[in-house]
Amino acid sequence: MPVTPSEVVELRSHAGQIRRTGRWSMPRRLVVHSMAGAVHLDLRQAVISHRVSHIELATQAGATTIVLPPGATADIDGVSTTGGTARSKVPSTPEPGSTAPHIVVTGSAAAGTLLVRYERRFWFWRW
């Protein structure tokens, strides 16, 4: 059964966890509201039908981690932080002619962290 992407999906959490892993459909625009909770978006096996996808964050007092598939890029220049940090360990612009997905992250992360990275590997383990 094919997975069809939506244009906009909104996820909300209050003192809880938002977690997307495995095979799931990444919409063109993903809106995430989280207060005092953790957000983990694993895009390694996600179905990303759009060349450019947008993630809009509104998080407070929590950690947000976005794991990208190999070759994907992410621009986090549109994220504002208040008492927190935003770090990206991936390139912010795609290579010319690249067909890999590009993720644009905007919004705010107050009193929390944002980390965008590729998968980690150690011996047989991956996370």
Side-chain angles (χ1 to χ4, degrees), residues 59-79:
T59 61
Q60 290 182 329
T64 302
T65 304
I66 302 171
V67 183
L68 299 181
T73 56
D75 179 3
I76 66 167
D77 291 342
V79 175

mmCIF file with all atom_site columns, all heavy atoms in Angstrom, residues 59-79:
data_model
loop_
_atom_site.group_PDB
_atom_site.id
_atom_site.type_symbol
_atom_site.label_atom_id
_atom_site.label_alt_id
_atom_site.label_comp_id
_atom_site.label_asym_id
_atom_site.label_entity_id
_atom_site.label_seq_id
_atom_site.pdbx_PDB_ins_code
_atom_site.Cartn_x
_atom_site.Cartn_y
_atom_site.Cartn_z
_atom_site.occupancy
_atom_site.B_iso_or_equiv
_atom_site.pdbx_formal_charge
_atom_site.auth_seq_id
_atom_site.auth_comp_id
_atom_site.auth_asym_id
_atom_site.auth_atom_id
_atom_site.pdbx_PDB_model_num
ATOM 1   N N   . THR A 1 59 ? 8.766  25.081 20.061 1.00 0.00 ? 59 THR A N   1
ATOM 2   C CA  . THR A 1 59 ? 9.079  24.201 21.189 1.00 0.00 ? 59 THR A CA  1
ATOM 3   C C   . THR A 1 59 ? 9.561  25.015 22.374 1.00 0.00 ? 59 THR A C   1
ATOM 4   O O   . THR A 1 59 ? 10.189 26.059 22.216 1.00 0.00 ? 59 THR A O   1
ATOM 5   C CB  . THR A 1 59 ? 10.152 23.163 20.806 1.00 0.00 ? 59 THR A CB  1
ATOM 6   O OG1 . THR A 1 59 ? 11.346 23.844 20.430 1.00 0.00 ? 59 THR A OG1 1
ATOM 7   C CG2 . THR A 1 59 ? 9.689  22.291 19.652 1.00 0.00 ? 59 THR A CG2 1
ATOM 8   N N   . GLN A 1 60 ? 9.235  24.503 23.569 1.00 0.00 ? 60 GLN A N   1
ATOM 9   C CA  . GLN A 1 60 ? 9.681  25.133 24.808 1.00 0.00 ? 60 GLN A CA  1
ATOM 10  C C   . GLN A 1 60 ? 10.163 24.061 25.764 1.00 0.00 ? 60 GLN A C   1
ATOM 11  O O   . GLN A 1 60 ? 9.487  23.037 25.937 1.00 0.00 ? 60 GLN A O   1
ATOM 12  C CB  . GLN A 1 60 ? 8.536  25.887 25.491 1.00 0.00 ? 60 GLN A CB  1
ATOM 13  C CG  . GLN A 1 60 ? 8.092  27.127 24.780 1.00 0.00 ? 60 GLN A CG  1
ATOM 14  C CD  . GLN A 1 60 ? 6.991  27.831 25.552 1.00 0.00 ? 60 GLN A CD  1
ATOM 15  O OE1 . GLN A 1 60 ? 6.205  27.203 26.235 1.00 0.00 ? 60 GLN A OE1 1
ATOM 16  N NE2 . GLN A 1 60 ? 6.955  29.144 25.429 1.00 0.00 ? 60 GLN A NE2 1
ATOM 17  N N   . ALA A 1 61 ? 11.298 24.284 26.377 1.00 0.00 ? 61 ALA A N   1
ATOM 18  C CA  . ALA A 1 61 ? 11.832 23.426 27.442 1.00 0.00 ? 61 ALA A CA  1
ATOM 19  C C   . ALA A 1 61 ? 11.889 21.955 27.046 1.00 0.00 ? 61 ALA A C   1
ATOM 20  O O   . ALA A 1 61 ? 11.408 21.092 27.756 1.00 0.00 ? 61 ALA A O   1
ATOM 21  C CB  . ALA A 1 61 ? 11.007 23.592 28.723 1.00 0.00 ? 61 ALA A CB  1
ATOM 22  N N   . GLY A 1 62 ? 12.492 21.691 25.906 1.00 0.00 ? 62 GLY A N   1
ATOM 23  C CA  . GLY A 1 62 ? 12.636 20.306 25.475 1.00 0.00 ? 62 GLY A CA  1
ATOM 24  C C   . GLY A 1 62 ? 13.704 20.185 24.413 1.00 0.00 ? 62 GLY A C   1
ATOM 25  O O   . GLY A 1 62 ? 14.241 21.178 23.921 1.00 0.00 ? 62 GLY A O   1
ATOM 26  N N   . ALA A 1 63 ? 14.018 18.962 24.055 1.00 0.00 ? 63 ALA A N   1
ATOM 27  C CA  . ALA A 1 63 ? 15.037 18.686 23.037 1.00 0.00 ? 63 ALA A CA  1
ATOM 28  C C   . ALA A 1 63 ? 14.362 18.243 21.749 1.00 0.00 ? 63 ALA A C   1
ATOM 29  O O   . ALA A 1 63 ? 13.433 17.439 21.772 1.00 0.00 ? 63 ALA A O   1
ATOM 30  C CB  . ALA A 1 63 ? 15.985 17.604 23.528 1.00 0.00 ? 63 ALA A CB  1
ATOM 31  N N   . THR A 1 64 ? 14.839 18.770 20.630 1.00 0.00 ? 64 THR A N   1
ATOM 32  C CA  . THR A 1 64 ? 14.355 18.380 19.309 1.00 0.00 ? 64 THR A CA  1
ATOM 33  C C   . THR A 1 64 ? 15.527 17.831 18.518 1.00 0.00 ? 64 THR A C   1
ATOM 34  O O   . THR A 1 64 ? 16.559 18.496 18.390 1.00 0.00 ? 64 THR A O   1
ATOM 35  C CB  . THR A 1 64 ? 13.741 19.582 18.567 1.00 0.00 ? 64 THR A CB  1
ATOM 36  O OG1 . THR A 1 64 ? 12.672 20.115 19.339 1.00 0.00 ? 64 THR A OG1 1
ATOM 37  C CG2 . THR A 1 64 ? 13.229 19.165 17.200 1.00 0.00 ? 64 THR A CG2 1
ATOM 38  N N   . THR A 1 65 ? 15.380 16.609 17.994 1.00 0.00 ? 65 THR A N   1
ATOM 39  C CA  . THR A 1 65 ? 16.406 15.982 17.167 1.00 0.00 ? 65 THR A CA  1
ATOM 40  C C   . THR A 1 65 ? 15.794 15.601 15.828 1.00 0.00 ? 65 THR A C   1
ATOM 41  O O   . THR A 1 65 ? 14.735 14.975 15.784 1.00 0.00 ? 65 THR A O   1
ATOM 42  C CB  . THR A 1 65 ? 16.975 14.720 17.845 1.00 0.00 ? 65 THR A CB  1
ATOM 43  O OG1 . THR A 1 65 ? 17.477 15.064 19.134 1.00 0.00 ? 65 THR A OG1 1
ATOM 44  C CG2 . THR A 1 65 ? 18.096 14.114 17.011 1.00 0.00 ? 65 THR A CG2 1
ATOM 45  N N   . ILE A 1 66 ? 16.458 15.983 14.745 1.00 0.00 ? 66 ILE A N   1
ATOM 46  C CA  . ILE A 1 66 ? 16.035 15.633 13.398 1.00 0.00 ? 66 ILE A CA  1
ATOM 47  C C   . ILE A 1 66 ? 17.179 14.855 12.770 1.00 0.00 ? 66 ILE A C   1
ATOM 48  O O   . ILE A 1 66 ? 18.286 15.370 12.642 1.00 0.00 ? 66 ILE A O   1
ATOM 49  C CB  . ILE A 1 66 ? 15.698 16.880 12.569 1.00 0.00 ? 66 ILE A CB  1
ATOM 50  C CG1 . ILE A 1 66 ? 14.598 17.699 13.260 1.00 0.00 ? 66 ILE A CG1 1
ATOM 51  C CG2 . ILE A 1 66 ? 15.284 16.489 11.159 1.00 0.00 ? 66 ILE A CG2 1
ATOM 52  C CD1 . ILE A 1 66 ? 14.344 19.061 12.645 1.00 0.00 ? 66 ILE A CD1 1
ATOM 53  N N   . VAL A 1 67 ? 16.917 13.595 12.386 1.00 0.00 ? 67 VAL A N   1
ATOM 54  C CA  . VAL A 1 67 ? 17.929 12.734 11.780 1.00 0.00 ? 67 VAL A CA  1
ATOM 55  C C   . VAL A 1 67 ? 17.620 12.636 10.284 1.00 0.00 ? 67 VAL A C   1
ATOM 56  O O   . VAL A 1 67 ? 16.537 12.197 9.898  1.00 0.00 ? 67 VAL A O   1
ATOM 57  C CB  . VAL A 1 67 ? 17.938 11.332 12.421 1.00 0.00 ? 67 VAL A CB  1
ATOM 58  C CG1 . VAL A 1 67 ? 19.049 10.488 11.813 1.00 0.00 ? 67 VAL A CG1 1
ATOM 59  C CG2 . VAL A 1 67 ? 18.089 11.425 13.929 1.00 0.00 ? 67 VAL A CG2 1
ATOM 60  N N   . LEU A 1 68 ? 18.579 13.044 9.456  1.00 0.00 ? 68 LEU A N   1
ATOM 61  C CA  . LEU A 1 68 ? 18.376 13.091 8.013  1.00 0.00 ? 68 LEU A CA  1
ATOM 62  C C   . LEU A 1 68 ? 18.948 11.859 7.317  1.00 0.00 ? 68 LEU A C   1
ATOM 63  O O   . LEU A 1 68 ? 19.902 11.252 7.801  1.00 0.00 ? 68 LEU A O   1
ATOM 64  C CB  . LEU A 1 68 ? 19.046 14.336 7.430  1.00 0.00 ? 68 LEU A CB  1
ATOM 65  C CG  . LEU A 1 68 ? 18.541 15.682 7.928  1.00 0.00 ? 68 LEU A CG  1
ATOM 66  C CD1 . LEU A 1 68 ? 19.293 16.800 7.216  1.00 0.00 ? 68 LEU A CD1 1
ATOM 67  C CD2 . LEU A 1 68 ? 17.063 15.821 7.711  1.00 0.00 ? 68 LEU A CD2 1
ATOM 68  N N   . PRO A 1 69 ? 18.398 11.526 6.134  1.00 0.00 ? 69 PRO A N   1
ATOM 69  C CA  . PRO A 1 69 ? 18.987 10.452 5.339  1.00 0.00 ? 69 PRO A CA  1
ATOM 70  C C   . PRO A 1 69 ? 20.309 10.914 4.727  1.00 0.00 ? 69 PRO A C   1
ATOM 71  O O   . PRO A 1 69 ? 20.562 12.122 4.632  1.00 0.00 ? 69 PRO A O   1
ATOM 72  C CB  . PRO A 1 69 ? 17.929 10.187 4.255  1.00 0.00 ? 69 PRO A CB  1
ATOM 73  C CG  . PRO A 1 69 ? 17.124 11.427 4.176  1.00 0.00 ? 69 PRO A CG  1
ATOM 74  C CD  . PRO A 1 69 ? 17.177 12.068 5.523  1.00 0.00 ? 69 PRO A CD  1
ATOM 75  N N   . PRO A 1 70 ? 21.153 9.994  4.314  1.00 0.00 ? 70 PRO A N   1
ATOM 76  C CA  . PRO A 1 70 ? 22.449 10.373 3.728  1.00 0.00 ? 70 PRO A CA  1
ATOM 77  C C   . PRO A 1 70 ? 22.274 11.305 2.537  1.00 0.00 ? 70 PRO A C   1
ATOM 78  O O   . PRO A 1 70 ? 21.400 11.105 1.692  1.00 0.00 ? 70 PRO A O   1
ATOM 79  C CB  . PRO A 1 70 ? 23.042 9.040  3.279  1.00 0.00 ? 70 PRO A CB  1
ATOM 80  C CG  . PRO A 1 70 ? 22.353 8.013  4.105  1.00 0.00 ? 70 PRO A CG  1
ATOM 81  C CD  . PRO A 1 70 ? 20.975 8.544  4.370  1.00 0.00 ? 70 PRO A CD  1
ATOM 82  N N   . GLY A 1 71 ? 23.078 12.352 2.499  1.00 0.00 ? 71 GLY A N   1
ATOM 83  C CA  . GLY A 1 71 ? 23.057 13.297 1.390  1.00 0.00 ? 71 GLY A CA  1
ATOM 84  C C   . GLY A 1 71 ? 22.067 14.438 1.539  1.00 0.00 ? 71 GLY A C   1
ATOM 85  O O   . GLY A 1 71 ? 22.157 15.431 0.822  1.00 0.00 ? 71 GLY A O   1
ATOM 86  N N   . ALA A 1 72 ? 21.113 14.323 2.436  1.00 0.00 ? 72 ALA A N   1
ATOM 87  C CA  . ALA A 1 72 ? 20.126 15.388 2.636  1.00 0.00 ? 72 ALA A CA  1
ATOM 88  C C   . ALA A 1 72 ? 20.782 16.592 3.293  1.00 0.00 ? 72 ALA A C   1
ATOM 89  O O   . ALA A 1 72 ? 21.812 16.472 3.953  1.00 0.00 ? 72 ALA A O   1
ATOM 90  C CB  . ALA A 1 72 ? 18.966 14.883 3.481  1.00 0.00 ? 72 ALA A CB  1
ATOM 91  N N   . THR A 1 73 ? 20.187 17.754 3.105  1.00 0.00 ? 73 THR A N   1
ATOM 92  C CA  . THR A 1 73 ? 20.693 18.984 3.689  1.00 0.00 ? 73 THR A CA  1
ATOM 93  C C   . THR A 1 73 ? 19.595 19.654 4.500  1.00 0.00 ? 73 THR A C   1
ATOM 94  O O   . THR A 1 73 ? 18.418 19.357 4.320  1.00 0.00 ? 73 THR A O   1
ATOM 95  C CB  . THR A 1 73 ? 21.182 19.947 2.588  1.00 0.00 ? 73 THR A CB  1
ATOM 96  O OG1 . THR A 1 73 ? 20.108 20.179 1.667  1.00 0.00 ? 73 THR A OG1 1
ATOM 97  C CG2 . THR A 1 73 ? 22.375 19.375 1.847  1.00 0.00 ? 73 THR A CG2 1
ATOM 98  N N   . ALA A 1 74 ? 19.986 20.555 5.397  1.00 0.00 ? 74 ALA A N   1
ATOM 99  C CA  . ALA A 1 74 ? 19.008 21.253 6.225  1.00 0.00 ? 74 ALA A CA  1
ATOM 100 C C   . ALA A 1 74 ? 19.471 22.673 6.490  1.00 0.00 ? 74 ALA A C   1
ATOM 101 O O   . ALA A 1 74 ? 20.632 22.914 6.813  1.00 0.00 ? 74 ALA A O   1
ATOM 102 C CB  . ALA A 1 74 ? 18.795 20.515 7.536  1.00 0.00 ? 74 ALA A CB  1
ATOM 103 N N   . ASP A 1 75 ? 18.546 23.601 6.363  1.00 0.00 ? 75 ASP A N   1
ATOM 104 C CA  . ASP A 1 75 ? 18.807 25.013 6.646  1.00 0.00 ? 75 ASP A CA  1
ATOM 105 C C   . ASP A 1 75 ? 18.066 25.366 7.931  1.00 0.00 ? 75 ASP A C   1
ATOM 106 O O   . ASP A 1 75 ? 16.837 25.299 7.978  1.00 0.00 ? 75 ASP A O   1
ATOM 107 C CB  . ASP A 1 75 ? 18.299 25.858 5.483  1.00 0.00 ? 75 ASP A CB  1
ATOM 108 C CG  . ASP A 1 75 ? 18.496 27.345 5.694  1.00 0.00 ? 75 ASP A CG  1
ATOM 109 O OD1 . ASP A 1 75 ? 19.087 27.745 6.721  1.00 0.00 ? 75 ASP A OD1 1
ATOM 110 O OD2 . ASP A 1 75 ? 18.041 28.116 4.828  1.00 0.00 ? 75 ASP A OD2 1
ATOM 111 N N   . ILE A 1 76 ? 18.804 25.722 8.998  1.00 0.00 ? 76 ILE A N   1
ATOM 112 C CA  . ILE A 1 76 ? 18.178 26.074 10.273 1.00 0.00 ? 76 ILE A CA  1
ATOM 113 C C   . ILE A 1 76 ? 18.309 27.562 10.566 1.00 0.00 ? 76 ILE A C   1
ATOM 114 O O   . ILE A 1 76 ? 18.090 27.997 11.691 1.00 0.00 ? 76 ILE A O   1
ATOM 115 C CB  . ILE A 1 76 ? 18.743 25.242 11.445 1.00 0.00 ? 76 ILE A CB  1
ATOM 116 C CG1 . ILE A 1 76 ? 20.213 25.562 11.704 1.00 0.00 ? 76 ILE A CG1 1
ATOM 117 C CG2 . ILE A 1 76 ? 18.537 23.762 11.219 1.00 0.00 ? 76 ILE A CG2 1
ATOM 118 C CD1 . ILE A 1 76 ? 20.739 25.020 13.023 1.00 0.00 ? 76 ILE A CD1 1
ATOM 119 N N   . ASP A 1 77 ? 18.629 28.364 9.551  1.00 0.00 ? 77 ASP A N   1
ATOM 120 C CA  . ASP A 1 77 ? 18.824 29.798 9.760  1.00 0.00 ? 77 ASP A CA  1
ATOM 121 C C   . ASP A 1 77 ? 17.551 30.511 10.211 1.00 0.00 ? 77 ASP A C   1
ATOM 122 O O   . ASP A 1 77 ? 17.622 31.584 10.794 1.00 0.00 ? 77 ASP A O   1
ATOM 123 C CB  . ASP A 1 77 ? 19.360 30.463 8.489  1.00 0.00 ? 77 ASP A CB  1
ATOM 124 C CG  . ASP A 1 77 ? 20.788 30.042 8.187  1.00 0.00 ? 77 ASP A CG  1
ATOM 125 O OD1 . ASP A 1 77 ? 21.464 29.532 9.101  1.00 0.00 ? 77 ASP A OD1 1
ATOM 126 O OD2 . ASP A 1 77 ? 21.224 30.227 7.030  1.00 0.00 ? 77 ASP A OD2 1
ATOM 127 N N   . GLY A 1 78 ? 16.391 29.933 9.971  1.00 0.00 ? 78 GLY A N   1
ATOM 128 C CA  . GLY A 1 78 ? 15.127 30.548 10.356 1.00 0.00 ? 78 GLY A CA  1
ATOM 129 C C   . GLY A 1 78 ? 14.654 30.190 11.749 1.00 0.00 ? 78 GLY A C   1
ATOM 130 O O   . GLY A 1 78 ? 13.521 30.473 12.112 1.00 0.00 ? 78 GLY A O   1
ATOM 131 N N   . VAL A 1 79 ? 15.518 29.556 12.553 1.00 0.00 ? 79 VAL A N   1
ATOM 132 C CA  . VAL A 1 79 ? 15.145 29.156 13.918 1.00 0.00 ? 79 VAL A CA  1
ATOM 133 C C   . VAL A 1 79 ? 15.690 30.187 14.907 1.00 0.00 ? 79 VAL A C   1
ATOM 134 O O   . VAL A 1 79 ? 16.875 30.498 14.888 1.00 0.00 ? 79 VAL A O   1
ATOM 135 C CB  . VAL A 1 79 ? 15.694 27.752 14.264 1.00 0.00 ? 79 VAL A CB  1
ATOM 136 C CG1 . VAL A 1 79 ? 15.404 27.395 15.707 1.00 0.00 ? 79 VAL A CG1 1
ATOM 137 C CG2 . VAL A 1 79 ? 15.120 26.711 13.332 1.00 0.00 ? 79 VAL A CG2 1
#
